[in-house]
Amino acid sequence: EHGGGFFSAEATTGVVWQHSPTAYGDGAAGATAVALRFQTGDVQAFGQIGSWGRFAAFELEGVFQAAAALLVETSYDQGLSWVALGTHQVTGLAVGEVFQRQFYPARQRGGKFRVRVTMTPTVTTTEGCRLTGFTFYHTIRSGPSRLSSGKRL
């Protein structure tokens, strides 16, 4: 904080951003919207190393401020490559209205995974949505392990 305003510096480009309560992105119509992006570390919800289960769904919760696109991606190789689970357009809600969106991965079996979320405002002078939570839905492998002699060839 300096002089009554909040500032942040981007080390890689040397750009200094000033927070404004009324302007988002660079505050100019037609400019590039500022996308919010976060990613988890490796989620290994299935127990010890080498265990696996099913990653059934990922749900995002948020509060609508302005129209935005939500892109969710998943990685099964520690973030080396990403697979899009899809993009949802969040539109037509009243300001302050709570929303939920679910994403379902095509590949559900695995030992660990990462999730990356990108929220891009539709209009460059708005903040888009406020993301307030996320939930992983998963099931752990169940049943007895097969003996080596019981495996099919």
Side-chain angles (χ1 to χ4, degrees), residues 73-106:
E73 301 166 287
T74 189
S75 173
Y76 298 94
D77 58 6
Q78 299 177 327
L80 298 175
S81 62
W82 295 91
V83 177
L85 302 184
T87 301
H88 277 283
Q89 299 295 326
V90 182
T91 62
L93 303 174
V95 173
E97 190 172 344
V98 175
F99 68 88
Q100 295 177 317
R101 298 294 185 269
Q102 289 187 339
F103 299 83
Y104 302 92

Side-chain angles (χ1 to χ4, degrees), residues 54 63 71 117-118 123 130 142-143:
R54 291 183 187 266
V63 177
L71 168 66
V117 176
T118 305
V123 178
R130 294 182 183 161
S142 61

Side-chain angles (χ1 to χ4, degrees), residues 4 18 38 58 127:
Q18 178 181 5
F38 73 88
F58 179 76
E127 69 174 314

Side-chain angles (χ1 to χ4, degrees), residues 1-151:
E1 182 178 1
H2 176 72
F6 291 99
F7 297 86
S8 64
E10 188 175 319
T12 57
T13 62
V15 174
V16 176
W17 295 90
Q18 178 181 5
H19 171 73
S20 168
T22 58
Y24 305 94
D26 66 2
T32 303
V34 174
L36 167 72
R37 175 178 279 178
F38 73 88
Q39 81 180 41
T40 67
D42 286 334
V43 176
Q44 188 165 338
F46 311 118
Q48 299 175 352
I49 295 174
S51 296
W52 60 270
R54 291 183 187 266
F55 170 29
F58 179 76
E59 181 178 84
L60 277 173
E61 295 89 27
V63 177
F64 184 79
Q65 300 298 316
L70 293 173
L71 168 66
V72 175
E73 301 166 287
T74 189
S75 173
Y76 298 94
D77 58 6
Q78 299 177 327
L80 298 175
S81 62
W82 295 91
V83 177
L85 302 184
T87 301
H88 277 283
Q89 299 295 326
V90 182
T91 62
L93 303 174
V95 173
E97 190 172 344
V98 175
F99 68 88
Q100 295 177 317
R101 298 294 185 269
Q102 289 187 339
F103 299 83
Y104 302 92
R107 176 182 166 191
Q108 293 186 337
R109 290 184 181 186
K112 59 185 173 182
F113 55 89
R114 291 181 184 197
V115 173
R116 180 168 68 185
V117 176
T118 305
M119 186 275 304
T120 307
T122 304
V123 178
T124 60
T125 57
T126 63
E127 69 174 314
C129 300
R130 294 182 183 161
L131 302 178
T132 58
F134 60 91
T135 306
F136 293 109
Y137 294 97
H138 68 279
T139 57
I140 299 173
R141 174 180 62 177
S142 61
S145 298
R146 290 185 180 178
L147 298 173
S148 294
S149 61
K151 293 182 179 174

